[in-house]
Amino acid sequence: MSRLADRAVCCGCAACAQICPKHCISMQEDREGFLYPEMDSALCVDCGRCEKVCPALESERQMAAPKAYAAKANDETIRLSSSSGGVFSLVAEKVLKEGGVVFGCRMNDSLEAEHTCVSSLYELDGLRGSKYVQSRVGDSFAEAKGFLTGGRRVLFTGTPCQISGLRAYLGRDYENLLTVEVICHGAPSPAVWKKYIQDRFPGAQRVKFREKREGWRNYHLQVNENSECYRDNDYMRLFLDNVTLRPSCHSCKFKSGRSGADITLGDFWGIENVMPDFDDDKGCSIVLVNTGKGEMALEGLDVEMTEVDMSSAVLGNQAYSHSVRPHINRAYFFSVLDRSGSFSRAYARMYDESLLGRIRHKLFRIIGL
């Protein structure tokens, strides 16, 4: 029987489920809210396609040797509606105007993160901005292949592991494919996000993870009309403290351009030290161009872009090359969340610094209570 990746390294890209000719692999949610492939062995014909397509089982690619740029859209409306400098919007608009399609992550009506395809500028707004929750890839790799084989231009954006999964699924490069990865701190649990919304904002209809009312650096998480600086937000604290990330994120093998993406995008943290005149606290992108195709995609954009030294570009963005370590009390948090079903209770227990709280944390690490 064909082998699936161990859960410690599986990134949840769903390439195996999409490639299976017998549809015997389905993506199932575990107790932490992450999707993992499960195989119906009775249907498996041992063709080995799932093993061959799995990016977690693939040998590591060589690092790209990118050109690095600081960039920001000249249109401030685009920039202020984007997480950083608005470069994704400009590239996506270019592809759409040329008759192509764009795949990316959006929040659906239930405020769940999912990968989807858009073919019009009107639909593009939902793909803008960061989503600090792992998206469901669904059948988007197969959909993208359909457009590619039909000759249509495709822009596919995602995390490095998703881009690597797509490329493995496709099995070869397509001239009409452009891939853009985002620099990724890690993929947070959809279950934690769902319980956060249920506890704090039941019935919420809108979310923006990077609202810039107080500037790019002091961004806010906005749910409906409620807005809170990320430094004061409980959900963001768990994310940035590495409590809620997918296990594979702590030993990610797709860092440093290894996904094979044509372009890498992220926030140019530290731009005020590298190019202070370029910084206005409205958002600045780091743009790493990994291929000639990526370089061509940036031509003719309405963007201010300046080449910078690679080491300076990634100095303030360690997530480009380094995985983060899991929080020491990660398992405890998920245990409380699973037992209680309450985000607020799990959060309070997670950061309980009383003597009783410290004893609970230590006992759990020793015996798993």
Side-chain angles (χ1 to χ4, degrees), residues 79-126:
R79 193 151 57 110
L80 292 175
S81 64
S82 304
S83 291
S84 49
V87 175
F88 160 73
S89 293
L90 297 176
V91 174
E93 286 182 2
K94 181 179 180 181
V95 170
L96 292 173
K97 289 176 180 177
E98 293 173 350
V101 296
V102 177
F103 286 83
C105 178
R106 71 165 183 181
M107 304 302 289
N108 65 22
D109 292 340
S110 299
L111 296 190
E112 299 165 329
E114 62 180 15
H115 254 67
T116 190
C117 174
V118 304
S119 57
S120 70
L121 293 174
Y122 172 77
E123 300 170 289
L124 184 59
D125 188 58

Side-chain angles (χ1 to χ4, degrees), residues 128-149:
R128 288 192 179 100
S130 301
K131 284 86 175 178
Y132 293 123
V133 56
Q134 187 169 36
S135 67
R136 290 176 178 263
V137 173
D139 295 322
S140 58
F141 294 172
E143 291 177 37
K145 184 176 182 178
F147 285 116
L148 292 167
T149 55

Side-chain angles (χ1 to χ4, degrees), residues 12 21 28 34 56 107 114 125 170 173 177 181 192 230 244 328 357:
Q28 301 295 323
F34 295 109
M107 304 302 289
E114 62 180 15
D125 188 58
L170 294 175
D173 192 22
L177 172 66
E181 67 175 4
V192 175
Y230 78 94
T244 59
I328 192 172

Side-chain angles (χ1 to χ4, degrees), residues 1-13:
M1 188 172 69
S2 297
R3 177 173 64 106
L4 297 177
D6 185 88
R7 289 194 170 209
V9 297
C10 172
C11 62
C13 72

Side-chain angles (χ1 to χ4, degrees), residues 258-272:
R258 290 187 174 93
S259 74
D262 298 300
I263 298 172
T264 302
L265 294 179
D267 293 277
F268 201 132
W269 301 125
I271 186 64
E272 69 276 13

